[in-house]
Amino acid sequence: MISVKHLTRTFDDFTAVDDLSFEIAPGDVVGFLGPNGAGKSTTMKMLTGFLSPSSGEVKIDNLSMQQNAKMLQKKIGYLPEGSPVYGDMTVFQFLHFIADVRELKGKSKKARIGEVITQLELQSVLNRTVDNLSKGFKRRVGLAQAIIHDPQILILDEPTDGLDPNQKHHVRELIRKLSQDKLVIISTHILEEVTSVCNRVMIIAKGQLRFDGTPTALQQKSRYYHAVSLTLSYAADISGLAEIEGVADMEINRITGQVTLFPEPDTYILGPITNYINHRKLPVDALFVEQGRVDEVFRRITSEEAA
């Protein structure tokens, strides 16, 4: 359990984190969302004990991080922003070094190094120095060091930064597996990452908590939630779509030609729209019910509310 109470961090006249309070329980996979400079990385540094708060408190298992940092850090696996590593070491040497730092010994040490090499698919680069790795491989080495001691808590700052789509998919699958018995916090600006990996979303803007809920709850805040979008195979008169009972508004994307119909509050409009299309024999190529657009909600929360 992580408990954060009135956490604040200032740098001279700048407030990076402003009175944050929340609790995270085992089984939570929390996505920290926010624009650049929102305070995500600063919050993570305070959660891991690498940065002291200006005021407020972080507790893990009811123990204060400020008073018990060394002991609590043994329970945490941390992938910091930029994933700093010792560039002149080979990957194999670096993982052995981290295992020694984490006080792994004997068969346990050998087993854990082998497991993380397999999990992160590092076999092909074990004898290369870290400095000579691609950005993607450096990120994977950073993730390997974060999980090598099998921590109870994983705190990952932009874990898929620099990875190609296949590598991102692999790392997200790994996070899902690890989250079965760990508390996981992921800082990211990639909206897709939150909806695919996390069961809880926190949006931070200007150092303040603006949203805390499930990905579904976030989608439901979108004006596109339960809207109906359709495309036509050729031009036709669609003006009548806006007059269908239950339709509050109609939007046409002039670039793609997609038509979106917005429902009145607490109204499901797919049935009436389908009936209208069939009756008028409109040339509809595709039709689907929107589940909400997270990017639209994110922009609104981080701009209008923060302002």
Side-chain angles (χ1 to χ4, degrees), residues 58-75:
V58 175
K59 283 188 175 181
I60 295 178
D61 295 338
N62 291 319
L63 296 175
S64 169
M65 173 58 77
Q66 287 178 276
Q67 298 173 11
N68 303 276
K70 292 297 181 184
M71 181 178 67
L72 293 176
Q73 284 169 346
K74 293 180 180 180
K75 301 181 178 185

Side-chain angles (χ1 to χ4, degrees), residues 110-295:
K110 184 177 180 180
R112 283 302 299 161
I113 291 174
E115 287 172 15
V116 299
I117 288 171
T118 300
Q119 286 177 314
L120 275 303
E121 297 181 348
L122 297 171
Q123 297 90 335
S124 64
V125 297
L126 288 179
N127 295 317
R128 291 173 57 183
T129 58
V130 174
D131 267 347
N132 289 323
L133 298 179
S134 67
K135 184 178 180 181
F137 266 117
K138 285 180 181 177
R139 206 67 184 147
R140 286 153 73 180
V141 171
L143 185 53
Q145 66 79 26
I147 67 175
I148 198 166
H149 58 302
D150 195 22
Q152 298 174 20
I153 299 169
L154 266 181
I155 297 181
L156 310 175
D157 200 347
E158 304 285 356
T160 61
D161 182 40
L163 304 186
D164 65 36
N166 289 334
Q167 293 169 339
K168 286 182 180 180
H169 175 75
H170 176 75
V171 168
R172 288 170 186 168
E173 286 299 312
L174 175 60
I175 291 171
R176 286 192 192 97
K177 291 177 183 177
L178 292 171
S179 67
Q180 293 174 6
D181 61 355
K182 301 182 191 304
L183 185 159
V184 181
I185 302 173
I186 302 169
S187 169
T188 183
H189 62 276
I190 303 173
L191 301 178
E192 172 197 350
E193 199 142 85
V194 168
T195 55
S196 66
V197 175
C198 303
N199 59 23
R200 183 175 170 190
V201 183
M202 294 184 186
I203 296 181
I204 298 176
K206 295 189 175 180
Q208 298 177 340
L209 188 61
R210 298 291 176 178
F211 176 86
D212 184 359
T214 65
T216 300
L218 185 64
Q219 289 175 317
Q220 289 173 347
K221 291 177 74 68
S222 169
R223 71 184 291 256
Y224 289 90
Y225 183 68
H226 281 177
V228 175
S229 290
L230 56 93
T231 54
L232 305 177
S233 55
Y234 55 86
D237 181 11
I238 60 171
S239 58
L241 288 170
E243 306 302 321
I244 295 173
E245 185 177 356
V247 173
D249 195 13
M250 182 170 73
E251 174 184 274
I252 302 174
N253 188 314
R254 299 298 178 185
I255 298 175
T256 65
Q258 186 178 81
V259 179
T260 301
L261 303 168
F262 298 93
E264 294 175 353
D266 302 318
T267 305
Y268 201 66
I269 57 176
L270 178 62
I273 290 171
T274 303
N275 291 337
Y276 181 90
I277 290 170
N278 291 335
H279 180 69
R280 297 300 178 98
K281 293 182 169 48
L282 292 179
V284 174
D285 265 349
L287 181 148
F288 62 95
V289 178
E290 298 264 4
Q291 296 306 305
R293 301 183 185 179
V294 175
D295 57 340

